[in-house]
Amino acid sequence: MNFLVNYFSGLGKSTLNRVNGVGAASIMLYGALFAFPQWKNIRLTISQIYIVGVQSLLIVMVSGLFIGMVMALQGYTILVNYGAEGSLGPMVALSILRELGPVVTALLFAGRAGSALTAEIGLMKATEQLSSLEMMAIDPLRRVVSPRFWAGIISLPMLTLIFSAIGILGGHLVGVDWLGVDAGSYWSIMQATVEWDKDVVNGIIKSAVFALVIVWIALYKGYSCIPTSEGISQATTQTVVYSSLAILGLDFILTALMFGI
Amino acid sequence: MSENIVSITDMQFYRGEREIYKDISLSVERGKITAIMGPSGIGKTTLLKLIGGQLTPNRGSIIFQGDDVHKVSRNRLYEMRRKMSMLFQSGALFTNMSVFDNVAYPLREHTKLDESIIETLVKLKLEAVGLRGAAQLLPNELSGGMARRAALARAIALDPELIMYDEPFAGQDPISMGVLVKLIKALNKALDLTSIVVTHDVKEVLGIADYAYIMANKTIIGAGTPEQIKNSDSPLVQQFLRGDADGPVPFHFPASPVEADLVGDSA
Amino acid sequence: MTTRKTETLVGLFVALAIAATMLLALRVVNQGMAGNSETFTVKARFDNIGGLKPRSSVKVGGVVVGRVERIYLHKTDLVPIVELQISTEYANTFPDTSSLSILTSGLLGEQFIGLLPGFIFPEDLARIEEDKVCETTSLNNCPYLTEGEEVFDTKSALILEDLIGQILFKQGSE
């Protein structure tokens, strides 16, 4: 009997904590989103785009290249059986634009930039930099969280576009230059199949949604972490795990909404 | 003129389930150095955060210059915070900026001064703490004492009326400690500040304080001028001043009797 | 000076993203029928549409001229009606005697609608010139496919099962 009561009170407590967490995270989201239009913040945002965007560029470009190359290699070996290797172009382009581009870039971004954001904010909290901002009458949401937030939301779609373009070029490299698919049919069948609003724009929308979720999780985890070394490492791990799960889950929902019946 | 800049009445504060303060009242006189002493881990930093409005007490009020810190609007609180300043134990310098930029930061945020005026002001503040030569260093290139002095320069950048020192002497070598003691005293006088110094370094702080409170067991156990404190006949105060291991402030964290714990309550 | 370097690199990053977008827009994406160009609607009824789907292409001799917009069943006749959107670039181009057939690209490819243009008698051509029937508001007399017009000459999709059934039936009867 006692055991049952304990169980339920534990359940209630953890539910309340979670609801509290979601509430706090929403308040943070609100604060960060609406703290944007200030000249000083734009400059801070640019320097954050450098950190989360430009510094993620190399890993994104290399991954894009290799994923495009692998797609072409795998696709070719299957399509050539049906004499349909001319369809390699649309196969590579569609799978990268619709799925691999947004999802893989988002996963890389969560690992590369999301974890760094959590660790940075967590350390700022642990070293009392956030408290000290507050005591200086400066809202840390405005000066610390918001620029990082917007930088992430701006950077990820751009990274995704770059990833997709390089992936398609990588597919060309392997499919056309190496395996000998006709360059004309690689591009022309691709052009006949791929559509701007349906494939490219939907991919960008996906990556913008992923960006929002990743940065939100990363910043909230950093902001609310226990300010000790274990707390920060735990928060960093949680950022990567939660963002990755959120990306994959949301990807299914978005795909169903965009391409489903 | 003995007006109180901060006064706390019947304040009670819980962190989670744990009671940190039980009905404490204290006041800080304008222009004076007030020391708040007590053993580690009783939440002296918490007290400063309560005054700064970062934490909210469960009961009681904290008045800063006539306004209740926890009843005013957020904007008003931010205005009030411009008049107070806090020196954190770790210094809390922004690690991605040079010492110069750290000190300039509050000026750049809160004023629309010309960069040339800011430069002059920053140099003056750094000169006051003796770090003008270290302006271009990054915080991780500073020693602990220097970092704290740099943070002090940042704390006085906006010419606050109240400055709160959180354990300014903790972990400092005797020379740095002497420098900081001298600085606190000198700044208080030169800038017409009010200072609250939270510390457990009794000897240093009693040398400069005008008034002192001793806290233990969730409440204030002694108050008075340094003379009165030294001559206090309260056993608690005397234990704290002499540094006895055990006494009215117990050596042990509250626990069940050791026999029961070790033998186990198999009965 | 670090801010200057940062800003430059961010600028390069933005330029790279724009370049990627341009590559996608110009080389990857289907430009002919981007979806935002002007179109007009033509209806056609089929007996069986096979695997035709909305957004399948409409081709004339392999050139994409439009897309399938909507497929639905006629309420009383119970036959599929297909609505096609043809680019206005081809307005007043296809005679209304044109025929539509549902074709398959390659053995396993997707299905599309092949438009086989009909013909117009030379005397009609002269009449069009004279009366300007295609420039009035009511287009009833216009001998070209126009907005809302229905195409009657249609050939349904080839159903593989039916075909096999016919062959078996033929062999059985021999």
Side-chain angles (χ1 to χ4, degrees), chain A residues 40 127-129 131-140 143, chain B residues 54 74 78 81 88 90 92-95 105 108-110 154:
Chain A
K40 201 168 239 161
T127 54
E128 296 177 314
Q129 291 182 46
S131 277
S132 117
L133 274 174
E134 273 191 30
M135 286 306 297
M136 278 184 219
I138 296 164
D139 188 353
R143 283 286 178 268
Chain B
Q54 294 193 331
R74 191 178 153 78
Y78 269 63
R81 278 186 188 160
F88 286 86
S90 59
L93 292 168
F94 304 124
T95 43
Y105 192 82
R108 288 180 180 150
E109 281 289 336
H110 286 309
R154 187 179 67 180

Side-chain angles (χ1 to χ4, degrees), chain B residues 70-196:
Chain B
H70 303 97
K71 295 220 168 76
V72 297
S73 73
R74 191 178 153 78
N75 286 341
R76 180 83 186 92
L77 176 64
Y78 269 63
E79 268 171 44
M80 286 159 74
R81 278 186 188 160
R82 291 195 199 184
K83 295 186 194 152
M84 43 174 116
S85 187
M86 185 159 164
L87 181 71
F88 286 86
Q89 193 171 352
S90 59
L93 292 168
F94 304 124
T95 43
N96 55 349
M97 301 178 192
S98 69
V99 170
F100 181 91
D101 288 331
N102 261 291
V103 180
Y105 192 82
L107 291 167
R108 288 180 180 150
E109 281 289 336
H110 286 309
T111 66
K112 292 195 163 48
L113 294 174
D114 255 17
E115 196 57 27
S116 59
I117 299 177
I118 289 184
E119 198 179 323
T120 317
L121 282 173
V122 171
K123 281 186 177 158
L124 283 174
K125 305 290 177 192
L126 283 174
E127 179 67 27
V129 297
L131 285 181
R132 197 165 44 84
Q136 294 312 321
L137 295 182
L138 284 172
N140 58 12
E141 295 167 320
L142 300 178
S143 74
M146 281 159 82
R148 217 161 284 185
R149 275 149 67 192
L152 184 53
R154 187 179 67 180
I156 58 172
L158 282 173
D159 294 324
E161 294 174 28
L162 170 72
I163 181 160
M164 296 184 275
Y165 299 88
D166 184 12
E167 301 279 7
F169 312 119
Q172 299 291 311
D173 62 77
I175 299 172
S176 317
M177 213 186 264
V179 170
L180 281 163
V181 168
K182 186 175 146 269
L183 264 176
I184 292 172
K185 181 90 181 163
L187 285 174
N188 200 69
K189 203 160 179 184
L191 301 176
D192 198 18
L193 283 168
T194 308
S195 309
I196 301 177

Side-chain angles (χ1 to χ4, degrees), chain C residues 14 61 127 161:
Chain C
V14 174
R127 194 169 55 83
E161 290 87 330

Side-chain angles (χ1 to χ4, degrees), chain C residues 42-45 96 98-100 145 149-154:
Chain C
V42 170
K43 276 188 205 167
R45 67 171 57 198
D96 53 10
S98 300
S99 67
L100 297 177
L145 284 179
E149 194 154 345
E150 186 168 342
V151 178
F152 295 100
D153 189 0
T154 59

Side-chain angles (χ1 to χ4, degrees), chain C residues 50-61:
Chain C
L52 197 71
K53 293 198 172 54
R55 304 207 68 81
S56 299
S57 47
V58 179
K59 295 182 185 175
V60 178

